[in-house]
Amino acid sequence: MGLMRNLVDGARAMVQKPRVERELEEELDGFVEASAEEKQRSGMEWGEALRAARVEMGSRGAVKHQVWSSRWEGGLDGVLQDVRISVRMLLKTPGFTLVALLSLALGIGANTAIFTLIHQVMLRNLPVHDPGQLVTFGESEGGGVLGGVDLGFFGMFPWHFAREMQANPGPFHRGGERDDDDGGVAAGAAGVASGSDGGAAVRLNFRVSQGRWVYSGGYSIEP
Amino acid sequence: MNVAGMSANEEPSRDLVQGTLEMLILKTLALESMHGYGVALRIEQISGGVFRVNPGSLLPALSRMERAGHVKSEWRATENNRRAKYYLLTAKGRKALVAETEQWHRQIAAIARILEA
C-alpha cells in the first residue's frame, strides 16, 4: 500500500514537475523570509538579515536538487535527462553515430556467426540416435574427433569407402576375433572410436587381410 | 541562542548526530505543526544552539518523510499573512516517532555501557 502510494505520488510529481518546482521555489522563499524575520527580530537590519539568511541557505539550486533527488522520481528523472542528452549528442554528430552503430552491428553479427559455426561444428552432437557410439575410420593415428576436439582430418577414409564398409561390415560383425596375418598384403590401420560426450576414446587396431579389415585388438586412450 | 549565522565558524561541530534528523523532525512536529524554517529554528532553540539544521538537509528529509507517509503538508497562512507550507504529523509518523525514540534510547544506553566499561 505504501509502495503503491509512493509510486502514484512520484508519477504525479513527474507529470506535474513545473508545479512541484514552483511550490518548492515558494517554500524556499518562505524559508529565507522566515529566517530573515527571525534575524530582524534579534536586531539585524532587514536588508542585512535577508542577505544573511540567503548566505545561510547556500545555493538554492543545490537545495532544490537535494529535495528533488530525495525521492525516486528524482533518480528516474535524472536517467531520462541523461538519455535525452545522449540522443541529442548522437543526433548532433551523425558521422560518429553511424560509425558507432556499424561497429556494434558488425561486432554482434560477427560474434553470432562465429558462435553459430562453432556450435554446429564442434559443440553440438551429431543428429543421430547415440552419437557416443560413432566410430571414425582413418589411417592416421590422430584422426577423428576426441572428446569434442577435432584432431585433424588427415588419413580419413572417403565417403564411398564408408559405403563399401557398410555393404561389407567386415570386422564389426566379428568384434574381438583375431585373424592371422597372411603376410605381405596387410597394412596397418587404426580407427579411433570416441565418445562424443567426453568419454575415453577407444583405439581399435585393424589390418587389411585378404581384402577385408581385420580387428587386431583395442585399448582405451585416456582423454 | 537566536543569533544563528553569527556563530557559524565556531569550533565544535553543529551537525546533527547521523541518522537522527528524521526523529528530531518527528518530535518537533509532534509538539505542533509548522513550516520548514519553524522546524529548523525549533531544533536549534531546544538544543540550546548545539545543533543546526540547514535547509539542504531539512527539506529533503521532509520530502522523504512526506513520501513515506510520516508527515503531510498543506499550504497555510503564516502569522504574517504569508503563504507557507506547513507540515503535520500523521498517525503513522507518530508511531514512527515512538519506535525511533525507543531504538535511540536502546542505542545510547548500549553506547554508554561500552564507554563506561
Side-chain angles (χ1 to χ4, degrees), chain A residues 6 9-10 23 26-28 31 33-35 37-39 56 66-67 70-73, chain B residues 2 4-5 35-37 41 55-56 58-60 63-64 67 75 80 82-83 85 87:
Chain A
N6 191 346
D9 285 356
E23 283 192 357
E26 201 178 335
E27 189 176 9
L28 288 181
F31 197 102
E33 265 172 38
S35 169
E37 273 162 18
E38 181 63 29
K39 292 182 199 317
E56 255 182 47
Q66 274 165 319
V67 172
S70 69
R71 300 172 298 213
W72 68 263
E73 68 265 23
Chain B
N2 48 9
H35 50 71
Y37 179 72
L41 187 65
L58 176 70
L59 296 181
S63 134
R64 263 199 312 275
R67 187 53 65 76
W75 289 88
N80 305 350
R82 254 194 229 101
R83 233 162 73 90
K85 197 176 185 182
Y87 292 92

Side-chain angles (χ1 to χ4, degrees), chain A:
Chain A
M1 287 168 290
L3 184 70
M4 203 57 213
R5 163 120 238 123
N6 191 346
L7 280 178
V8 171
D9 285 356
R12 194 177 295 144
M14 282 277 268
V15 175
Q16 307 175 331
K17 195 176 170 190
R19 188 182 59 78
V20 174
E21 290 266 339
R22 213 170 41 241
E23 283 192 357
L24 183 54
E25 214 40 91
E26 201 178 335
E27 189 176 9
L28 288 181
D29 284 339
F31 197 102
V32 169
E33 265 172 38
S35 169
E37 273 162 18
E38 181 63 29
K39 292 182 199 317
Q40 193 184 29
R41 218 167 293 147
S42 67
M44 268 188 180
E45 227 176 286
W46 175 245
E48 194 189 343
L50 202 59
R51 217 169 18 252
R54 290 213 181 101
V55 167
E56 255 182 47
M57 167 166 290
S59 151
R60 274 175 87 94
V63 174
K64 272 159 67 182
H65 177 74
Q66 274 165 319
V67 172
W68 186 244
S69 53
S70 69
R71 300 172 298 213
W72 68 263
E73 68 265 23
L76 182 63
D77 198 46
V79 171
L80 287 181
Q81 262 174 27
D82 286 353
V83 170
R84 264 202 297 276
I85 286 178
S86 330
V87 170
R88 265 215 304 269
M89 294 306 282
L90 286 175
L91 288 179
K92 231 171 158 181
T93 51
F96 170 78
T97 308
L98 193 70
V99 170
L101 275 181
L102 274 179
S103 322
L104 273 175
L106 279 177
I108 295 170
N111 256 310
T112 312
I114 298 268
F115 178 75
T116 307
L117 187 70
I118 287 179
H119 181 241
Q120 299 272 339
V121 171
M122 291 174 69
L123 303 182
R124 213 177 54 172
N125 282 339
L126 287 171
V128 296
H129 178 61
D130 194 352
Q133 288 192 333
L134 282 177
V135 174
T136 56
F137 283 114
E139 286 176 316
S140 80
E141 298 216 337
V145 173
L146 180 68
V149 180
D150 193 350
L151 298 176
F153 49 85
F154 300 105
M156 297 283 271
F157 292 130
W159 180 77
H160 51 82
F161 181 87
R163 293 305 299 268
E164 199 71 23
M165 287 291 288
Q166 206 172 27
N168 182 14
F172 296 99
H173 282 185
R174 302 181 291 138
E177 187 180 320
R178 250 167 184 267
D179 271 13
D180 282 336
D181 193 357
D182 61 349
V185 287
V192 174
S194 77
S196 59
D197 46 5
V202 179
R203 179 173 157 166
L204 309 165
N205 286 328
F206 300 101
R207 285 174 296 114
V208 177
S209 175
Q210 293 166 339
R212 305 181 80 185
W213 286 86
V214 178
Y215 176 55
S216 58
Y219 51 89
S220 308
I221 302 168
E222 290 306 322

